Amino acid sequence: MKLIDITLFFFFAILLSCSSTQKQTDYSKFRQGKFELHSKYDNSVTLIQRNDSIQTEYNKSTGHVVKAKIKWTSECEYELQYFQQTTNSTDIIVPFVQARPLKTKIILATKQYYVFIA
């Protein structure tokens, strides 16, 4: 029994020391720049250009362009308030989406990409 307790103690001690030395993710690199959004639902690619306050989304397959105001609410969370779209597309922003901000949270970040929920 003592051997199991000692083994568990060392296991948790090593686990804690490893997790405390992990680098913090720098989410600020996602606040501005150009990004690609790959949809797993329809395999489309949307090009995103983001600056301090505006995000522009261009869907490569449909040509649809949407603009949104972006507001960062924490280090890894932001809200998008859609306000403009192209009129020559079959895609539309549904009125209830325009009326409320889309809350987005980054749940995983690497050097090349991030995964989010919205």
Side-chain angles (χ1 to χ4, degrees), residues 52-67:
D52 289 333
S53 60
I54 301 292
Q55 175 168 304
T56 304
E57 303 173 8
Y58 170 73
N59 186 303
K60 289 174 79 172
S61 50
T62 65
H64 188 65
V65 178
V66 178
K67 289 190 177 186

Side-chain angles (χ1 to χ4, degrees), residues 54-106:
I54 301 292
Q55 175 168 304
T56 304
E57 303 173 8
Y58 170 73
N59 186 303
K60 289 174 79 172
S61 50
T62 65
H64 188 65
V65 178
V66 178
K67 289 190 177 186
K69 294 178 185 176
I70 186 167
K71 176 184 171 189
W72 287 84
T73 55
S74 75
E75 183 180 66
C76 60
E77 296 181 32
Y78 59 89
E79 294 179 351
L80 293 173
Q81 184 71 51
Y82 291 100
F83 67 90
Q84 185 180 14
Q85 66 180 335
T86 54
T87 56
N88 60 347
S89 175
T90 57
D91 294 337
I92 60 168
I93 303 173
V94 207
F96 74 87
V97 172
Q98 274 185 307
R100 295 176 195 81
L102 178 66
K103 296 181 181 189
T104 306
K105 181 177 183 177
I106 299 172

Side-chain angles (χ1 to χ4, degrees), residues 6-72:
I6 293 171
T7 305
L8 286 174
F9 171 78
F10 282 114
F11 173 76
F12 285 114
I14 291 170
L15 182 66
L16 287 173
S17 68
C18 290
S19 65
S20 65
T21 59
Q22 290 179 347
K23 293 180 181 178
Q24 291 285 3
T25 303
D26 180 19
Y27 295 102
S28 64
K29 64 184 172 186
F30 302 121
R31 290 183 179 234
Q32 293 187 37
K34 294 180 180 181
F35 310 95
E36 286 187 353
L37 173 64
H38 296 265
S39 173
K40 68 178 183 178
Y41 300 107
D42 62 1
N43 293 324
S44 67
V45 176
T46 300
L47 302 176
I48 296 174
Q49 185 166 351
R50 186 181 294 157
N51 65 30
D52 289 333
S53 60
I54 301 292
Q55 175 168 304
T56 304
E57 303 173 8
Y58 170 73
N59 186 303
K60 289 174 79 172
S61 50
T62 65
H64 188 65
V65 178
V66 178
K67 289 190 177 186
K69 294 178 185 176
I70 186 167
K71 176 184 171 189
W72 287 84

